[in-house]
Amino acid sequence: MAFCFINLTIYSQEIKQSSSEEIPVKVKDTTIIPLKDSLNLKLSDSLLIKPKDTIKKPVELLEGIIEHSADSLIRQDIINNKIILYNNAHIHYKDIDLTAGYIEIDNNTNSVIAKGIIDSVGTYSQLPVFKQGNQESVQDTIQFNFKSEKAKIWNLKTEQQGIIILGEVSKKHNDSIIFIENIRLTTSDKEKPDYYIKIPKAKFIKDKKLVAGSSQLVIADVPTPIVLPFAYIPLTKGRTSGFLMPTWGENNRQGYFLQNGGYYFVLNDNFDLAVLGDIYTNGSWGLRTESGYAKRYKFSGNFNFRYENLINSLKGFDDYSKATNYNIRWSHSQDAKASPNSRFSASVNLGSSQYYKQSNNEYNTNAFLNNNLSSSISYYKNFVGTPFNVSLSMTHSQNTNTEEINMTLPSLQLNMDRIYPFTGKNGVKKNAIQKTGLTYTMKGDNRIVTNDEFFFKKEMFDEAKSGIQHNATMNTNMKALKYFTISPSLNYKEVWYFDRLSKKFDDIQNAVVTDTISSFSTFREYSTAVSLGTTFYGMFKFKKGNIEAIRHVVRPSVSYSYRPDFSSYNEEFQQSDDPNDIGEYSPFANGIFGKPGTGLSNSLNFTLNNNLEAKLRKKDSTDTETEAKKIILLNNLNFSSSYNMAADSLKWSPVGVNAGTKLFNNKLNLNVRATLDPYALDVNGKKINTFNINNGGSLFRLTNAGLTMNYSLASKKDGKGKSKEEQNEEDNNSDGVFGENLTATNQQTPAGTGNKSETKESKLFESKIPWTLKLAYALNYANSNRQKEISSHSLMFSGDIELTPKWGVGFSSGYDMKNQGFSYTQLRFSRDLDSWKLNFNWVPFGDRQTYYFFIGVKSSMLSDLKYDKRQVPDKQLF
């Protein structure tokens, strides 16, 4: 809203007129009595005293030029000292711009009156529009005084921070304060608003606040019983601190509750904080903090901490129990422009293993269905001018079923990029010697294995293990027989540990005692390998049909690897009271980087990769398409196996087969895998050193197999070139076929969404119903011990249907065909009510049976004007 007027007493003015008829203007000349100078300066030097001028020039009261124009009439009433503008009248002075059907300037009273006019069909049109800077207001009539800067406005309409203000009579006290009578506040831009807040009297302070007396909510011109004794609405630009209204509900375990109520703090332009709490009538409570931060061209991130103290049932009942859960989430990303040679990033999700299962205020569907939590914090530094770079990281992985936690605190890695020590002049690499490259990696880890009981406690560090591993590799490549590539390599590994195992026989206990001794110990091992590979193509051309040609790409590879026996690092120990009963053990058995390899490794490895592509013929000359179209028939068909020449039996490893392709214009992703074992089983199901074909069976024995299919369907793309499926994933941040998250926060609109959305119109003729459908099918077969069973067999499906431009329905579910039951099922309903929004999410059955109903105003400024109802799942804590 802009009501900032300049004191304009028009004595001497420069006028620009834009009209077909020029009207002479008389300028009234006045003599202004000079003002007495309040500063009486006494100068010591009389020669510097200037004579006082008794006649001063007139003071210019205008700081700029007034420009005015009109389409039909510009009349200057010299007798009454008025200027009248009619039909598309316009006045412009500095940053003030006023347009109206009729404008009258009265130089005697220093006032301006602007109002609309009645057109030929009897409609009151060309309403006054007042603009100042980037603010604008519309009214029926406006009258303001240049000298006192006061104004009176009838039927005001303006917008402040997304809120539309409609006032019957308004009085402007000064540049920033306005008193308004019979005011209506709304976010609906319709001529008849969907809803509004009716206020008899209010005081408006520009860009700050609106203070009013009693206020009443009116929906569709029907007054509601929702009345407040006073109203305070902040209208400041940008983010502001304020209270967050809670959501209420009840469940059978904790009773009635209030959730997600608290306060939002705007600490500065780069950092904010929301403190929210939950309270239940049986004594349970929860606390949550959410914070976001951002520094332009530097970094951005968010941090969330959640803690819940949940009581199940009431004290004295058999099912009474307590549980405390917490969860920490932190995400940090660095802008690529901040530092090209170093970066810091973080992605943390850790806490109690039962948090996502027991929480009453967490509806992250994907996290609930996934049994793993993981975290990573890393720093990377590249040393410019050298081949070296270093990274320091901390990692965490957690299985919420077994409650086992694995952490690396920290992990330091030093890498050397490939260097070519034998390169020729000017970096030329012509022969195998010049192509020889050297790489080096040093990695040091401190690993911790613990569980929920000792997480973040001193005991978790008692069993920590540390070690440093060095790896150096030298390799090169050369051509052989023109079409083959030979790639030899040499690998060296050295491992440092700070403790070692010691085993000895204790005569008193009559048992072997294992101790861990703190001492620096190390081992080294090396290996060599050479590979031979090539690529050849096969082309099959067709003279007739739509297919012009089929290309078959084959990439065979054979490699040989050799590693000596490093069992010399093993130590002997007495296994029993018999001194001759001697056994061997590795003192590095508990090391985090493993122990030296025992036994000679001398093996051949075989891989065969295939790819099939087809080229379709060009369409006829009447079609705009001129280039042949390529399609993938078989994305990959890979075979792999190995033969260990040093093994005394079972020298052949199973053959691994995997294949994948895309069908139906890349809508269907099909992947197949299988493991084929050439050896037979005995009557006890144990593998024996006899080929299966020699045991009366087939050439290979199928031990396991798997099939996965993903199929996506959607209606035709809209006019913007984006399919409805892609648009739905952006709008809802879809987790795929597992369903959407149930929003359990005070945020009503997605981040980055404005207060106004594009208006959708329904068409009675040729109406469209956009829809999406996603299917995921999985089948796994196990036959390692002749069990011949389907280990898993399921179908997941998810979709969305837009019944009308403002009605949407979504669903997510699945069926387990092995266990004969439905998986996690969710139904979603949404309704766009123009300035309002309605959502209903329902999980009809299962451990997460719940629903969430929400209806509220879209505008973030009136986000507390809502009604939501949530049913918390009735879950057992233990």
Side-chain angles (χ1 to χ4, degrees):
M1 185 182 300
F3 295 100
C4 184
F5 305 105
I6 307 299
N7 188 357
L8 302 176
T9 305
I10 305 178
Y11 292 106
S12 176
Q13 59 181 349
E14 180 182 351
I15 300 176
K16 275 186 171 183
Q17 297 180 349
S18 58
S19 177
S20 59
E21 179 182 0
E22 296 292 335
I23 300 176
V25 179
K26 292 185 178 180
V27 180
K28 182 178 180 181
D29 189 15
T30 60
T31 300
I32 300 177
I33 299 174
L35 301 175
K36 183 177 181 181
D37 193 349
S38 60
L39 298 176
N40 187 16
L41 300 176
K42 295 182 179 180
L43 302 177
S44 58
D45 192 349
S46 61
L47 296 178
L48 297 178
I49 301 176
K50 294 182 179 180
K52 184 181 295 184
D53 191 355
T54 58
I55 301 177
K56 285 191 175 182
K57 297 180 181 180
V59 177
E60 294 287 347
L61 298 180
L62 295 179
E63 298 179 4
I65 299 175
I66 295 179
E67 300 177 5
H68 66 266
S69 64
D71 289 351
S72 299
L73 175 66
I74 300 179
R75 188 180 69 183
Q76 181 159 350
D77 187 349
I78 300 177
I79 299 175
N80 297 316
N81 200 13
K82 293 182 179 180
I83 298 177
I84 298 174
L85 310 174
Y86 185 80
N87 192 11
N88 291 326
H90 176 233
I91 291 179
H92 179 77
Y93 174 76
K94 294 183 66 176
D95 63 338
I96 297 176
D97 194 270
L98 176 63
T99 60
Y102 174 88
I103 298 179
E104 178 182 321
I105 304 175
D106 190 340
N107 293 325
N108 296 319
T109 59
N110 305 316
S111 63
V112 172
I113 297 176
K115 57 186 177 180
I117 60 175
I118 299 176
D119 57 18
S120 58
V121 296
T123 304
Y124 190 64
S125 60
Q126 297 187 30
L127 299 179
V129 178
F130 182 86
K131 296 180 181 178
Q132 185 173 17
N134 58 354
Q135 297 180 339
E136 179 178 337
S137 65
V138 181
Q139 45 271 318
D140 281 358
T141 304
I142 180 172
Q143 179 181 1
F144 61 89
N145 187 282
F146 287 125
K147 188 173 183 179
S148 64
E149 301 183 8
K150 295 182 179 181
K152 190 172 184 180
I153 305 164
W154 290 266
N155 293 332
L156 167 72
K157 181 180 180 181
T158 186
E159 182 176 344
Q160 284 283 311
Q161 307 301 317
I163 297 181
I164 299 174
I165 302 176
L166 305 171
E168 186 175 311
V169 179
S170 305
K171 294 181 180 180
K172 176 178 173 292
H173 181 68
N174 53 35
D175 286 347
S176 56
I177 298 177
I178 299 174
F179 297 94
I180 309 175
E181 294 181 0
N182 296 328
I183 186 173
R184 292 178 295 168
L185 300 180
T186 183
T187 58
S188 175
D189 56 1
K190 297 180 180 179
E191 185 177 352
K192 290 187 176 181
D194 297 331
Y195 79 99
Y196 57 87
I197 300 175
K198 184 179 180 181
I199 302 173
K201 293 182 179 181
K203 180 180 179 180
F204 169 78
I205 302 177
K206 186 182 68 173
D207 293 336
K208 289 187 177 181
K209 59 187 174 181
L210 188 144
V211 182
S214 62
S215 58
Q216 183 179 24
L217 177 63
V218 179
I219 300 177
D221 288 332
V222 178
T224 67
I226 302 177
V227 179
L228 295 176
F230 64 91
Y232 177 88
I233 301 177
L235 298 173
T236 56
K237 294 182 178 180
R239 302 173 301 166
T240 57
S241 301
F243 288 97
L244 300 174
M245 299 301 293
T247 298
W248 64 275
E250 58 89 19
N251 70 351
N252 295 334
R253 300 292 178 180
Q254 282 81 34
Y256 293 95
F257 61 80
L258 292 175
Q259 289 182 341
N260 304 308
Y263 197 84
Y264 175 73
F265 299 90
V266 178
L267 303 180
N268 54 49
D269 292 340
N270 304 322
F271 183 74
D272 62 3
L273 174 66
V275 180
L276 305 171
D278 310 329
I279 187 170
Y280 304 81
T281 53
N282 78 330
S284 301
W285 57 274
L287 179 65
R288 182 168 80 256
T289 60
E290 300 178 355
S291 177
Y293 57 89
K295 184 74 172 177
R296 181 175 293 183
Y297 307 125
K298 293 292 185 179
F299 54 80
S300 62
N302 56 76
F303 179 83
N304 296 333
F305 173 75
R306 304 188 177 197
Y307 183 87
E308 292 184 353
N309 182 28
L310 297 180
I311 301 174
N312 187 46
S313 187
L314 295 174
K315 196 169 186 179
F317 287 84
D318 295 337
D319 58 348
Y320 176 80
S321 58
K322 290 184 179 181
T324 57
N325 293 299
Y326 66 93
N327 181 259
I328 300 173
R329 277 176 265 184
W330 179 33
S331 176
H332 178 94
S333 60
Q334 178 179 302
D335 194 297
K337 304 181 185 66
S339 178
N341 297 312
S342 64
R343 61 178 178 267
F344 176 80
S345 62
S347 177
V348 176
N349 185 8
L350 58 85
S352 304
S353 296
Q354 300 300 314
Y355 172 77
Y356 287 103
K357 298 179 181 179
Q358 297 180 356
S359 174
N360 284 337
N361 197 14
E362 177 61 57
Y363 298 92
N364 190 316
T365 301
N366 198 36
F368 167 73
L369 298 175
N370 191 351
N371 297 322
N372 294 292
L373 303 179
S374 60
S375 306
S376 175
I377 303 174
S378 62
Y379 174 78
Y380 168 84
K381 174 68 176 178
N382 181 37
F383 297 98
V384 181
T386 71
F388 294 97
N389 61 78
V390 65
S391 62
L392 180 65
S393 63
M394 294 181 288
T395 62
H396 149 268
S397 63
Q398 182 174 353
N399 188 305
T400 58
N401 285 337
T402 62
E403 298 187 0
E404 183 179 274
I405 302 172
N406 293 274
M407 306 183 72
T408 303
L409 297 175
S411 175
L412 175 65
Q413 184 165 327
L414 175 67
N415 299 308
M416 184 185 74
D417 297 335
R418 186 183 302 275
I419 61 173
Y420 297 91
F422 309 110
T423 302
K425 294 182 179 180
N426 300 323
V428 177
K429 306 180 186 69
K430 293 183 178 180
N431 52 50
I433 299 298
Q434 293 176 342
K435 293 179 181 178
T436 300
L438 176 66
T439 60
Y440 167 77
T441 300
M442 186 273 287
K443 184 177 182 181
D445 285 357
N446 179 47
R447 299 181 186 176
I448 299 172
V449 179
T450 184
N451 52 40
D452 270 19
E453 182 182 358
F454 301 112
F455 199 26
F456 286 131
K457 294 181 180 179
K458 178 181 178 298
E459 290 80 2
M460 68 178 282
F461 299 97
D462 293 342
E463 300 297 328
K465 298 179 180 179
S466 304
I468 299 176
Q469 177 178 273
H470 306 265
N471 285 288
T473 302
M474 180 180 290
N475 55 18
T476 186
N477 63 83
M478 65 193 77
K479 288 289 185 179
L481 301 177
K482 190 177 180 179
Y483 300 106
F484 295 90
T485 301
I486 300 177
S487 302
S489 63
L490 179 65
N491 304 297
Y492 174 81
K493 181 174 77 171
E494 182 171 334
V495 178
W496 299 347
Y497 289 138
F498 304 99
D499 55 32
R500 58 186 295 152
L501 290 180
S502 175
K503 289 187 177 182
K504 63 181 181 179
F505 184 78
D506 191 332
D507 295 333
I508 299 176
Q509 299 182 16
N510 195 25
V512 177
V513 178
T514 302
D515 293 328
T516 301
I517 302 174
S518 296
S519 66
F520 178 78
S521 57
T522 180
F523 72 86
R524 302 159 195 84
E525 61 180 18
Y526 54 86
S527 63
T528 184
V530 60
S531 64
L532 176 67
T534 187
T535 301
F536 58 88
Y537 306 86
M539 185 72 71
F540 306 92
K541 296 185 177 181
F542 302 88
K543 296 182 179 180
K544 297 181 179 180
N546 294 330
I547 299 178
E548 181 179 326
I550 294 178
R551 188 178 73 163
H552 183 199
V553 182
V554 183
R555 294 183 176 87
S557 175
V558 179
S559 63
Y560 169 77
S561 62
Y562 175 82
R563 190 206 65 209
D565 181 11
F566 292 99
S567 58
S568 58
Y569 285 101
N570 292 347
E571 298 180 356
E572 297 182 345
F573 71 102
Q574 182 180 333
Q575 300 183 98
S576 63
D577 55 359
D578 183 2
N580 297 320
D581 185 10
I582 303 298
E584 284 189 354
Y585 74 96
S586 173
F588 310 101
N590 289 341
I592 59 177
F593 296 116
K595 60 182 181 179
T598 57
L600 178 66
S601 175
N602 192 16
S603 62
L604 288 171
N605 304 296
F606 307 92
T607 60
L608 180 64
N609 300 333
N610 297 268
N611 174 267
L612 279 177
E613 294 180 344
K615 181 184 291 187
L616 301 182
R617 293 188 186 278
K618 300 177 182 179
K619 295 186 178 181
D620 55 33
S621 58
T622 60
D623 199 291
T624 57
E625 185 175 351
T626 58
E627 295 184 359
K629 183 179 180 181
K630 294 181 180 180
I631 60 173
I632 297 176
L633 299 179
L634 193 61
N635 193 36
N636 62 78
L637 176 59
N638 304 330
F639 301 89
S640 62
S641 184
S642 63
Y643 180 79
N644 190 354
M645 295 177 288
D648 54 357
S649 62
L650 303 175
K651 295 184 176 183
W652 284 100
S653 65
V655 178
V657 183
N658 64 80
T661 188
K662 295 182 178 181
L663 303 174
F664 307 118
N665 198 19
N666 296 332
K667 293 181 179 179
L668 174 62
N669 293 327
L670 177 64
N671 292 280
V672 181
R673 62 169 184 82
T675 303
L676 307 174
D677 199 322
Y679 293 103
L681 299 177
D682 60 13
V683 293
N684 297 320
K686 185 178 180 180
K687 189 187 296 188
I688 59 177
N689 192 30
T690 303
F691 289 116
N692 194 56
I693 193 172
N694 296 332
N695 198 39
S698 58
L699 179 62
F700 291 101
R701 181 171 51 85
L702 180 64
T703 58
N704 63 76
L707 169 67
T708 60
M709 290 190 296
N710 293 278
Y711 192 40
S712 297
L713 287 172
S715 57
K716 293 183 179 180
K717 294 185 178 181
D718 56 21
K720 297 181 180 179
K722 185 176 290 186
S723 67
K724 188 64 183 176
E725 178 184 11
E726 295 170 340
Q727 186 65 41
N728 180 70
E729 290 180 355
E730 291 179 3
D731 292 345
N732 298 312
N733 191 21
S734 174
D735 286 328
V737 295
F738 297 110
E740 310 292 344
N741 296 334
L742 299 179
T743 303
T745 68
N746 297 70
Q747 185 178 5
Q748 300 176 17
T749 57
T753 302
N755 297 328
K756 294 184 179 179
S757 59
E758 182 181 355
T759 302
K760 298 180 179 180
E761 296 181 357
S762 301
K763 295 182 179 180
L764 299 179
F765 179 70
E766 291 185 350
S767 62
K768 297 180 180 179
I769 302 180
W771 55 270
T772 63
L773 178 63
K774 289 184 286 185
L775 302 172
Y777 175 79
L779 173 66
N780 290 298
Y781 172 78
N783 188 33
S784 58
N785 294 316
R786 296 197 186 100
Q787 66 267 38
K788 296 181 180 180
E789 68 172 0
I790 302 296
S791 57
S792 64
H793 191 198
S794 62
L795 174 67
M796 306 293 293
F797 48 87
S798 176
D800 290 277
I801 305 173
E802 192 175 282
L803 300 177
T804 69
K806 297 185 179 182
W807 260 115
V809 178
F811 60 91
S812 302
S813 186
Y815 188 76
D816 189 339
M817 287 172 270
K818 179 183 178 182
N819 299 318
Q820 301 294 313
F822 283 94
S823 61
Y824 181 81
T825 300
Q826 182 189 91
L827 301 176
R828 303 180 294 272
F829 305 90
S830 63
R831 170 67 176 173
D832 186 352
L833 300 171
D834 293 334
S835 53
W836 294 65
K837 182 180 181 180
L838 182 147
N839 284 327
F840 180 67
N841 289 275
W842 182 30
V843 179
F845 51 81
D847 294 337
R848 304 275 291 183
Q849 180 178 350
T850 183
Y851 69 83
Y852 177 55
F853 174 82
F854 168 84
I855 182 171
V857 176
K858 291 181 180 179
S859 172
S860 59
M861 295 296 295
L862 296 177
S863 59
D864 292 332
L865 190 56
K866 65 176 181 176
Y867 171 80
D868 53 353
K869 171 71 174 176
R870 178 179 297 111
Q871 175 62 46
V872 174
D874 292 326
K875 301 184 294 291
Q876 286 280 357
L877 298 183
F878 301 100

